[in-house]
Amino acid sequence: MGIGFRDTLAGMDCEQLSGGFFDGWPNPPSTSTFLKLLERSYAIELAVDEQTGNVVGFIQAISDGVLSAYIPLLEVLPEYKGQGIGSTLMQRMLHRLQGLYMIDLLCDPEIQTFYEKHSMQRSTGMSVRHYSNQAGHIGNKQND
C-alpha cells in the first residue's frame, strides 16, 4: 500500500476525509466541518492512500504569514500509525513554515518526545478548551 503526500485539497471531496479522524473526541467535527477547517487553514499537508484515494493523515497550520504559525492538529488514522506518516507530515509542514519566526503547538506530555524529534522545544503554554464547541458549531458566520 502506497502513501502519497500533497499540500492541497484540489480534487478532494468529503468522502475522502471520512475515515475516522478525531477518534476519542467527545464532540468530533462532522466531515463537512473537517473539510472547512482544512480549507480555511494557512497551510495543510495530507497523506493519501494511493489505492483508495482516502486521506489517512493530515496536519494543519494557521498563521499570520509574517512572523508566527500555530499547528493545532496532526492526526494519522490508527491503522496507518507506525509507518512514519506523522513524521513525514510534520517535516513537510515545518519546511513550509521555515521562513517564519515562531511555530508553536500544544500537545499532551506523552507525545512531546515525538515533536522533540522534529527540533521542537518544550515550553510553557496556556489554553482554554470549550468542549461543547469541539464539533465546530459555534453559531457565528465564521463557521458557515
Side-chain angles (χ1 to χ4, degrees), residues 103-128:
I103 304 165
D104 296 330
L105 65 82
L106 291 174
C107 67
D108 293 330
E110 61 269 17
I111 58 174
Q112 288 178 337
T113 55
F114 170 81
Y115 293 107
E116 287 175 327
K117 291 176 187 174
H118 296 283
S119 301
M120 298 197 89
Q121 301 171 2
R122 293 179 193 226
S123 63
T124 302
M126 304 298 292
S127 66
V128 173

Side-chain angles (χ1 to χ4, degrees), residues 6-23:
R6 55 190 294 183
D7 62 4
T8 178
L9 287 165
M12 309 252 354
D13 60 36
C14 282
E15 285 188 22
Q16 292 169 286
L17 298 173
S18 61
F21 289 105
F22 309 103
D23 185 42

Side-chain angles (χ1 to χ4, degrees), residues 1-3 5 56 76-88:
M1 132 180 64
I3 302 297
F5 294 90
V56 299
V76 176
L77 293 176
E79 60 269 30
Y80 289 87
K81 288 186 178 181
Q83 300 178 37
I85 294 169
S87 288
T88 300

